[in-house]
Amino acid sequence: MIELRGVSKTVLSGSRPLTILQPTDLTVASGQFLSIVGPSGSGKSTLLGLIAGLDTPSSGEIVIDGVDITDLDEDGLARLRGAKIGFVFQFFHLIPALTAFENVLVPLEIAGEARAGEKAAVLLRDVGLTDRGHHYPSQLSGGEQQRIAIARALANDPPILLADEPTGNLDSANGRHVVDLLLDVNRSRGTTVVMVTHDAELTARCDAVLTMRDGRTTAAAVGQP
Ligand SMILES: Nc1ncnc2c1ncn2[C@@H]1O[C@H](COP(=O)(O)OP(=O)(O)O)[C@@H](O)[C@H]1O
Ligand SMILES: [Mg+2]
């Protein structure tokens, strides 16, 4: 469960304070698939970065599975991210010098997973790319790279997956494929998913849609089942 209470973010723009996220309350129940939509610059990435503990709020509390992450220091935040949160980015951020298989293997080895190789192979299978494991990112399509990035994000079986415009760099067919995969992850593993997207069409099958504008959220609407 993700709970935000009065969470805001103010940054300095030149010498003037600029509030890029107005005080926000939000609850995402475990196992929910929430989409966040809104125009560029409306604060979507800011909100996601705060939930991920990549950034600290100017006010308010962020509670992840009962832990107030605004109380944690850098080490505590890093541990929480490692245990609880997978992150997927618009531009994939795969390591170019490593194969697809190795990209998925890295977080498993860092976590000291005893059967890292076997787990990486299962993850590649789960995203439908068993036969692409030996390819380098540059040899894969955008959609394939994003599926590898999703496999990597799932390596340590996080209960929460955050995705910032995961389809933003893909054509519509590949974008749908990636959203299908995220929905499948949500249903089959029970992973809580929060996905930022530009594309309102992709939100139709989510549990709820949150719209942002000018650093404010509107009430979450329940999507079509
Ligand atoms: N560190 C920062 N300093 C100043 N302005 C920022 C900073 N981070 C984000 N912004 C501004 O805050 C607004 C919201 O940004 P962002 O959350 O990235 O929006 P979105 O993801 O919806 O496009 C934008 O106008 C952006 O330029
Ligand atoms: Mg953004």
Side-chain angles (χ1 to χ4, degrees), residues 107-140:
L108 291 162
E109 291 194 327
I110 289 174
E113 178 66 47
R115 299 182 163 188
E118 278 169 51
K119 273 198 97 174
V122 169
L123 285 157
L124 282 182
R125 188 200 64 200
D126 288 351
V127 300
L129 290 174
T130 293
D131 55 346
R132 290 285 192 276
H134 59 290
H135 286 110
Y136 290 90
S138 63
Q139 299 171 318
L140 299 171

Side-chain angles (χ1 to χ4, degrees), residues 94-100 103 135-142 145 148:
L94 296 174
I95 300 173
L98 299 182
T99 65
N103 267 279
H135 286 110
Y136 290 90
S138 63
Q139 299 171 318
L140 299 171
S141 73
Q145 289 183 62
I148 296 293

